Every structure is written in C-alpha cells, then in structure tokens.
Amino acid sequence: MHSSIVASQNPIHFFSSGVGSTRRRRRGRGGHQVEGSTSDDSNTGTTQSTSSQQTSASTRFQTVAEELLDKVESSLSKLKDLNDGLEIERYPPLIATDQTTMENEGDEPTVSSHGGQLSVKVNSTGDLYWGGGLYLLTIHPDTMGSADEAREIKGGSFVTLQSPLSGSFSYVYNPTTKEWVGKEDGHSLLGMFTRDWIRQCRGVPDF
C-alpha cells in the first residue's frame, strides 16, 4: 500500500529585463512589436516551481514522521512504571558521513545519518527468546541515508522500525488512511510494534 502525491507542474513564464537576458520580437498586427520570454526563462521557472514543490513535500513528510515519533514516545513513557529498566531516548536529526556505527562487538548497528530517531531499550528478563533488546524508530528523509535504498522506496522518504523480535522493516506514509504501512506488504507499523511489545513488556501502548 503506497500513496504518493504528484503535483501538477505548469510552466511559469517570466518577463525579464535583466542584463544578459535574450528577447525575441515579432511583428503583430499594425506593425507593433510584441516581446516574449525565451524558452530558457520558461525552463528556469519550471525548475524553480519543481524545487519548491519538492521542498514542500519534504517538509510535510518530516512533520508527519515527527508526529509518529512523538506518539510512540508519549505512549511508551506512560508504561515506564510497569517495566523496570525501560530506557527511552529521542535523538534530533543528524547528518554524518558514516551510515552505521558499531559501539561494541555484538551490538546492533544504528543509522548515524537520519531525520530524527527514537530509541527504546527493553531490560532483559532472562528469557532466551523474548527477553530484552533495542527498538529503533528512525526517520529517513529523501536527502539522507542510502541512495540505493531510497530509490527502492517510492517517494524516497520513509521510516524504519528495528525490533529485537521481528527485525528491521521500512514504512511509508499513506495520507488517505493516515497510517504508516510496510513497503513490502502494507502491514501496520504500530500494529507490528504493539505485537512485539506485548510479547516482551507489561502494558499495552495507546497508539
């Protein structure tokens, strides 16, 4: 389930009197000259319009993605008293050269270049399968992250959920249903998070 917003692009024509601009003149009825913009002016206008639309789409994506992190952070914070050792940390957008870092051998890799990240560390209960681990919810604007991965995901902007139980999945935003859904099969991000959470922790998040 994917949804993309395609904005119509109408060429914008500019009439310029700047130095170096090229004008074409043609004779109208009655011998009057009519000035018009060249194709270069039109192309410049179209480029500016496209750039503005891309910036607007990027801003909208960042807003809804941050709202997702806000919702998850708020919901899980309410369950801290029920889960000893639960650690929740929020990281602002970060641009770095290396895409992944590894603190110690055996640690999970973390994306170092992102548009915002929420880290949820669950304390181990001693259970070999369900016990403990790290959840990472990460924003990937289309200007960051792996170029190959961004091309594979429609729209280029997405979020990832890394779960100690289910692994890592990529999600895109569906503006019609206002849900974050899996790129591969359209499953719900919050549904996946809730399913894994209740297997490890106490309480049900009020996403």
Side-chain angles (χ1 to χ4, degrees):
M1 295 173 58
H2 298 273
S3 175
S4 59
I5 300 176
V6 180
S8 61
Q9 299 177 4
N10 296 320
I12 300 177
H13 301 279
F14 294 96
F15 294 88
S16 171
S17 59
V19 176
S21 62
T22 304
R23 295 168 178 258
R24 293 181 302 179
R25 299 171 181 244
R26 61 184 176 85
R27 291 284 180 176
R29 292 182 180 179
H32 297 292
Q33 290 182 335
V34 179
E35 295 183 354
S37 61
T38 66
S39 59
D40 289 341
D41 293 329
S42 178
N43 290 337
T44 299
T46 301
T47 300
Q48 292 174 342
S49 177
T50 301
S51 177
S52 176
Q53 291 166 356
Q54 291 174 340
T55 300
S56 178
S58 177
T59 299
R60 290 196 300 272
F61 168 81
Q62 186 68 26
T63 298
V64 294
E66 289 181 356
E67 288 174 351
L68 171 67
L69 267 61
D70 290 342
K71 178 187 291 186
V72 174
E73 181 180 14
S74 175
S75 298
L76 298 185
S77 294
K78 299 174 184 177
L79 303 177
K80 273 190 171 183
D81 292 341
L82 300 176
N83 298 276
D84 294 337
L86 181 63
E87 298 178 13
I88 302 174
E89 293 188 63
R90 179 76 171 266
Y91 301 98
L94 176 66
I95 300 177
T97 302
D98 297 329
Q99 292 303 310
T100 58
T101 59
M102 194 76 75
E103 294 293 338
N104 301 300
E105 185 176 355
D107 285 352
E108 294 290 341
T110 58
V111 178
S112 55
S113 183
H114 56 72
Q117 187 177 71
L118 180 66
S119 170
V120 181
K121 186 176 182 180
V122 177
N123 196 28
S124 176
T125 60
D127 190 297
L128 294 178
Y129 185 73
W130 304 115
L134 181 68
Y135 291 86
L136 286 176
L137 191 56
T138 308
I139 300 173
H140 300 269
D142 57 4
T143 55
M144 298 180 179
S146 166
D148 291 337
E149 186 174 20
R151 278 196 297 269
E152 291 176 1
I153 297 178
K154 192 172 183 179
S157 299
F158 59 101
V159 300
T160 55
L161 171 61
Q162 178 179 303
S163 164
L165 299 186
S166 297
S168 182
F169 292 88
S170 298
Y171 299 85
V172 292
Y173 184 66
N174 184 329
T176 301
T177 62
K178 298 184 179 179
E179 290 184 301
W180 290 90
V181 295
K183 171 187 175 288
E184 297 297 334
D185 57 12
H187 72 270
S188 168
L189 183 158
L190 295 179
M192 169 75 79
F193 202 131
T194 301
R195 186 194 69 179
D196 286 0
W197 175 268
I198 61 178
R199 290 176 176 178
Q200 289 188 301
C201 307
R202 295 184 179 90
V204 179
D206 60 348
F207 298 142

